[in-house]
Amino acid sequence: MSRKKKGFIPALALLMVMSIVLSACGGKGGVEGTPEKPVELIWYTIGTPQKDVDKVMAEVSKYTAEKIGVTVKMSMVDWGDYAQKLQVMTASGEAVDIMFTSSWAFDYVQNARKGAFLQTDDLLKEYGQGIVDTLDPAFLEGSKVDGHNYGIPANKELPAQEVWRFNKKLLDKYNLDISKVYSLESLEPMLQKIKASEPDVYPLAVDKNQVPYVPYDYVIEKLPMAVPLNTTDFKIVNVLDTPEMKQILKTMHKYYKAGYIPTEAATLDSLTDLQATGRWFADRATSQPFADNLWSASYGYPVVSTPASEPLIYNWSVMGSMQAISANTKYPEKAMQFLNLLNTDPVLRNMVDSGIEGVHYKKVNDNVMENLDESKNYDMPTFALGNVMLTYLNTTDPANKWEEFKKFNDAGTKAPLLGFNFDTSKVATEIAAVNNVKQEFWAALMTGTVDPDVYLQRANEKFKAAGLDKVMAEAQRQLDEWRAANK
């Protein structure tokens, strides 16, 4: 009798353990991940948190539960806080399934190499075929890290073109002409006029994320290592030592002293509040075809722009907006199914982008929409949420908008470092030290807050002491090897 009891109890325990394991496996055997028993995906995205996110995600979840057996909880983290927040979350193993990543926020390449993201090669083949069929091949090929994909790029503009943007109400009020504007210096007469005439308006809106445009391709965004766009020898230089950067920082400081730039620019997380109130005259942004219409619809007043650079395909533009699956997810297959649906299904994509039909927007016809008053409670960064070319047109958009996007993508010129991703593992200590120096000096210099004649030398001395020369030498070695292998 006692022997039978001893044999029975472990068997019962084994059955209980197997039951627990199966229930935790993300729907193995059909237990979870069905319309009747959906799994919840936690999705972290970048952008100013919106009042109606939970309301919209409740509607999204009804749709996705029926389609693929998942519900969605979206958490938005403001622009300036996103990278740090996600670094802490991934380091601590906090629950997250899908997260926004890019070349400029929560660095895609570096975090892929750190193991933050799941490799998606096999998942794409099995559950993401719609993504593969939809994307320009340059997106997936150009976003590989050491030969593998770790994120899903948004189907959007492929090249990057910098533009000067203007609040059209103020342009019209003072009859200002932007046709000859291109360089930072060419803005000065207009900035003077606005400063003198509109004391409550910032003539040049700048926040701590701003980096003045110079014709260089950065090895790592916002670190001072780059090659000239017209390079023939692919020599990496300290961009802070270049005549172009020295000149533009002097101009920024001149504008700061003149009161054209916000006094708090070096600590200002984003320009969202200024954009909401319209208390700005000019700023700089990365454009796309018909971007003026998108900005105007989002802000609720007319915005126009003019080029500040040529359209070029950089690593950061290919990787400018991506969704990655967390290495800690319990539901990798469901996460990829959701991303595939998000990037191929117009109903889901537009719900995520514009909210609830009849509440936040109304349909004008099959693929054209108009914002309603409640859209102010759900104003999302369209570019950061998946396939842009599935989104409805605004009433001011031309019918051929997405065809023009394809032409724009086809016409882009490749930047010199396109496809090269610096592996920082051999200089990780130096990179960390260089980043600490950047935190001390970068925003203050780039926003014009401090005098570059004084602070550039101090910054360069500290960068040098932190090991920037060693980092540049390792980057140069890898770049030379990459060029030799990719001729």
Side-chain angles (χ1 to χ4, degrees):
M1 184 74 177
S2 61
R3 284 185 180 180
K4 287 182 180 178
K5 283 184 178 179
K6 286 180 181 178
F8 177 75
I9 292 171
L12 180 60
L14 179 62
L15 284 171
M16 292 174 67
V17 168
M18 288 178 66
S19 173
I20 292 168
V21 168
L22 284 171
S23 71
C25 282
K28 300 293 184 186
V31 176
E32 293 182 283
T34 64
E36 296 75 24
K37 191 173 183 182
V39 299
E40 182 182 67
L41 296 179
I42 299 172
W43 183 14
Y44 272 79
T45 62
I46 194 168
T48 304
Q50 298 296 303
K51 180 181 176 182
D52 282 358
V53 163
D54 290 346
K55 180 191 291 188
V56 174
M57 287 305 120
E59 293 301 309
V60 165
S61 293
K62 291 177 188 176
Y63 188 77
T64 55
E66 184 63 33
K67 286 281 186 178
I68 54 172
V70 306
T71 60
V72 181
K73 177 177 174 57
M74 176 187 281
S75 293
M76 298 186 74
V77 181
D78 216 342
W79 303 93
D81 301 327
Y82 187 81
Q84 184 177 4
K85 168 81 172 176
L86 269 289
Q87 291 286 10
V88 172
M89 285 182 55
T90 53
S92 65
E94 191 171 333
V96 56
D97 298 289
I98 299 168
M99 60 191 89
F100 175 86
T101 178
S102 69
S103 53
W104 52 273
F106 194 50
D107 188 282
Y108 166 67
V109 173
Q110 303 304 322
N111 282 290
R113 285 184 171 139
K114 288 178 182 176
F117 310 140
L118 207 63
Q119 190 187 117
T120 57
D121 299 6
D122 293 337
L123 287 169
L124 272 169
K125 290 175 185 174
E126 190 166 357
Y127 301 102
Q129 199 55 51
I131 292 170
V132 176
D133 292 343
T134 299
L135 280 177
D136 185 312
F139 278 110
L140 286 173
E141 191 60 36
S143 60
K144 284 183 177 179
V145 178
D146 305 325
H148 299 284
N149 286 111
Y150 292 87
I152 308 303
N155 191 25
K156 61 178 188 61
E157 73 284 358
L158 188 55
Q161 183 169 29
E162 298 297 304
V163 295
W164 295 113
R165 299 193 306 178
F166 299 90
N167 183 335
K168 191 173 183 294
K169 287 182 178 179
L170 293 171
L171 282 178
D172 293 347
K173 182 176 180 179
Y174 297 104
N175 195 29
L176 297 173
D177 178 18
I178 63 172
S179 63
K180 292 183 173 60
V181 170
Y182 192 79
S183 68
L184 177 64
E185 288 75 16
S186 67
L187 288 172
E188 187 167 15
M190 290 188 291
L191 301 182
Q192 287 176 336
K193 177 65 177 177
I194 297 299
K195 176 65 177 174
S197 307
E198 298 283 343
D200 295 329
V201 169
Y202 286 116
L204 183 59
V206 175
D207 64 23
K208 70 180 185 181
N209 304 300
Q210 175 75 57
V211 178
Y213 176 78
V214 290
Y216 285 80
D217 191 1
Y218 290 84
V219 176
I220 298 175
E221 285 302 296
K222 297 184 181 177
L223 284 186
M225 304 181 293
V227 299
L229 291 178
N230 61 355
T231 187
T232 55
D233 61 5
F234 286 76
K235 175 71 172 175
I236 297 172
V237 299
N238 178 352
V239 75
L240 296 178
D241 283 335
T242 64
E244 296 93 340
M245 182 62 87
K246 289 178 179 178
Q247 175 57 47
I248 209 163
L249 292 184
K250 284 184 178 181
T251 302
M252 289 293 288
H253 186 54
K254 175 184 177 183
Y255 288 178
Y256 183 86
K257 289 193 298 181
Y260 304 155
I261 291 171
T263 54
E264 70 277 23
T267 57
L268 190 62
D269 286 335
S270 77
L271 299 173
T272 303
D273 290 343
L274 281 183
Q275 291 158 349
T277 60
R279 293 190 306 108
W280 64 284
F281 170 65
D283 72 357
R284 205 188 82 238
T286 304
S287 189
Q288 58 183 231
F290 311 114
D292 293 0
N293 296 337
L294 190 66
W295 292 321
S296 299
S298 177
Y299 299 161
Y301 54 85
V303 174
V304 294
S305 65
T306 190
S309 78
E310 297 303 310
L312 292 162
I313 305 173
Y314 300 92
N315 282 331
W316 62 264
S317 61
V318 171
M319 305 175 192
S321 173
M322 307 184 73
Q323 303 295 335
I325 299 173
S326 170
N328 296 326
T329 183
K330 294 179 181 179
Y331 311 113
E333 296 88 355
K334 287 297 177 184
M336 181 56 77
Q337 285 181 342
F338 172 74
L339 290 175
N340 193 68
L341 195 67
L342 179 68
N343 284 281
T344 58
D345 185 317
V347 174
L348 174 60
R349 180 63 183 89
N350 283 282
M351 208 185 312
V352 168
D353 187 69
S354 299
I356 304 166
E357 185 177 357
V359 176
H360 301 101
Y361 73 94
K362 67 177 181 180
K363 293 283 289 292
V364 177
N365 60 44
D366 284 347
N367 69 332
V368 180
M369 58 156 277
E370 192 173 70
N371 282 327
L372 300 175
D373 288 343
E374 288 301 303
S375 66
K376 67 181 181 295
N377 295 322
Y378 194 74
D379 184 10
M380 303 295 280
T382 296
F383 78 94
L385 298 167
N387 186 351
V388 172
M389 298 189 201
L390 287 180
T391 55
Y392 299 139
L393 302 177
N394 293 306
T395 52
T396 53
D397 285 331
N400 67 337
K401 178 176 180 178
W402 302 130
E403 288 73 19
E404 290 301 310
F405 262 69
K406 292 181 176 69
K407 289 180 185 177
F408 182 68
N409 287 353
D410 291 341
T413 302
K414 293 181 180 179
L417 296 182
L418 183 65
F420 171 68
N421 291 307
F422 178 31
D423 181 354
T424 61
S425 58
K426 291 185 178 179
V427 286
T429 301
E430 290 79 8
I431 286 283
V434 166
N435 268 309
N436 287 337
V437 176
K438 188 196 85 168
Q439 292 299 323
E440 182 179 353
F441 288 98
W442 195 260
L445 278 167
M446 298 300 153
T447 58
T449 304
V450 297
D451 185 351
D453 287 340
V454 176
Y455 281 84
L456 264 180
Q457 182 177 343
R458 293 182 190 176
N460 275 327
E461 287 172 355
K462 288 206 171 185
F463 275 126
K464 196 174 191 68
L468 180 62
D469 290 345
K470 183 178 177 181
V471 176
M472 288 173 61
E474 175 61 17
Q476 189 70 63
R477 183 189 66 78
Q478 292 184 29
L479 178 57
D480 293 343
E481 289 182 357
W482 175 78
R483 288 186 65 217
N486 289 276
K487 283 183 178 178

